[in-house]
Amino acid sequence: MPTTGLLPVDGATLYFERRGTGPLLLIAQSGEGDARRTTDLVDALADDFTLITYDRRGLSRSTLDDPARPVAMADHADDAHRLLAHVADGPALMLGCSFGAVIGLHLAAEHGDQLDTLIAHEPVAPWLLDAEADSHRRELAGLQDLFATGGLSAALPAIARSLGIDPAHPDTEPDLTPQPMDEQRRSNFVRFITDEFTTLRTDPGCRDRLGDTATRILPATGRTTPTTVFDHQAAHRLAALLDRPVIGFPGGHNGNTTHPRAWAARLRTTLRAHIR
């Protein structure tokens, strides 16, 4: 069982979990995911790493002092900075998935000394897309409009298509821990679409500072993510910016939850090869 904690930060209180032994690995989740979204991945890595997972501010058990105050990407990056300052005694490893990858990039730009290595898997970052950036921002706004008129039943399939996910033909490992669409997860999805999509659309980015960070940034994509979708393209633009290859991970955009054991093996190999 993990140990749990609460950390007061500026404007919020963060809930986090700690499990395992070895080098510290912070996991910043994708989408509506909270600290327990990647439970199977954490289980598979607990003998090799000390895993830190957390609820982003406003999700699940991480509460906001003022729920009406907009949350910027800088707030999320500062949360990760303060969490690492609380739990780590030196540069940590970080896995950032989708939204979490964007947090990781901002953390690397602002506090690169806190991270040894960041794996940035398919960052949802319009600011990496050059001429296509505004089109992606409009895509996110359109998904918000779809949710406003049709609710989750209309928005979730459209979001899946946008990310290159085909729910009709799922590709998963066997015997995964169920992730039911309970009331807490629905609430997290609502916040993700209504508030955090706006955070992504308005994020000014940090591309001009990534070349100077002390953090080794490793861009990554899912092996089955279509090359035409923005998350795949963003990872490749990041790789071009940093002049580094893109690392392929099993599955697609959500491979961390659909292929956790294969991901654990890939993470062990990748991080052992790059850790300083």
Side-chain angles (χ1 to χ4, degrees):
M1 292 294 292
T3 59
T4 66
L6 294 172
L7 178 67
V9 294
D10 186 19
T13 299
L14 298 181
Y15 170 89
F16 67 92
E17 296 186 353
R18 181 181 187 130
R19 183 178 173 188
T21 183
L24 192 143
L25 172 60
L26 173 67
I27 299 178
Q29 312 282 13
S30 58
E32 88 297 351
D34 61 18
R36 295 175 185 168
R37 187 173 195 266
T38 51
T39 182
D40 292 326
L41 179 62
V42 169
D43 286 347
L45 290 171
D47 290 337
D48 301 275
F49 299 96
T50 298
L51 287 308
I52 302 294
T53 60
Y54 70 103
D55 300 346
R56 287 196 306 274
R57 61 167 64 201
L59 299 185
S60 296
R61 294 140 296 205
S62 287
T63 57
L64 298 168
D65 295 350
D66 179 6
R69 174 184 173 271
V71 179
M73 194 59 70
D75 296 314
H76 289 298
D78 190 64
D79 289 347
H81 157 63
R82 292 173 187 270
L83 181 56
L84 282 179
H86 181 67
V87 300
D89 57 7
L93 307 169
M94 183 172 180
L95 167 64
C97 298
S98 189
F99 194 105
V102 186
I103 295 174
L105 292 174
H106 278 270
L107 179 63
E110 293 291 336
H111 302 283
D113 57 324
Q114 283 191 299
L115 294 178
D116 177 284
T117 302
L118 164 68
I119 296 178
H121 186 269
E122 299 190 3
V124 183
W127 47 270
L128 283 171
L129 294 179
D130 301 320
E132 301 91 345
D134 286 341
S135 175
H136 176 33
R137 292 187 179 100
R138 287 193 297 271
E139 183 177 8
L140 290 170
L143 291 168
Q144 289 180 304
D145 292 341
L146 186 60
F147 170 75
T149 58
L152 287 178
S153 62
L156 291 182
I159 292 171
R161 288 192 298 271
S162 178
L163 296 170
I165 300 168
D166 183 3
H169 298 89
D171 173 26
T172 67
E173 293 177 349
D175 303 319
L176 300 181
T177 300
Q179 296 278 347
M181 186 61 77
D182 57 17
E183 195 58 38
Q184 181 63 76
R185 193 177 179 201
R186 290 179 66 86
S187 176
N188 286 348
F189 260 121
V190 170
R191 177 165 182 82
F192 176 52
I193 297 168
T194 58
D195 295 293
E196 294 188 328
F197 273 27
T198 300
T199 301
L200 291 169
R201 288 195 295 107
T202 58
D203 177 18
C206 55
R207 62 184 300 167
D208 293 340
R209 290 172 287 157
L210 292 178
D212 298 326
T213 180
T215 302
R216 180 185 288 110
I217 300 171
L218 306 178
T221 62
R223 292 180 182 137
T224 62
T225 301
T227 60
T228 54
V229 297
F230 68 84
D231 41 310
H232 183 280
Q233 294 169 359
H236 279 264
R237 298 294 174 84
L238 177 63
L241 177 67
L242 300 174
D243 194 23
R244 292 201 176 118
V246 177
I247 300 171
F249 272 74
H253 188 71
N254 288 333
N256 55 327
T257 58
T258 61
H259 296 73
R261 301 173 194 97
W263 260 60
R266 188 71 167 114
L267 282 166
R268 288 189 203 96
T269 301
T270 302
L271 291 174
R272 285 171 179 167
H274 290 91
I275 190 172
R276 289 169 285 194

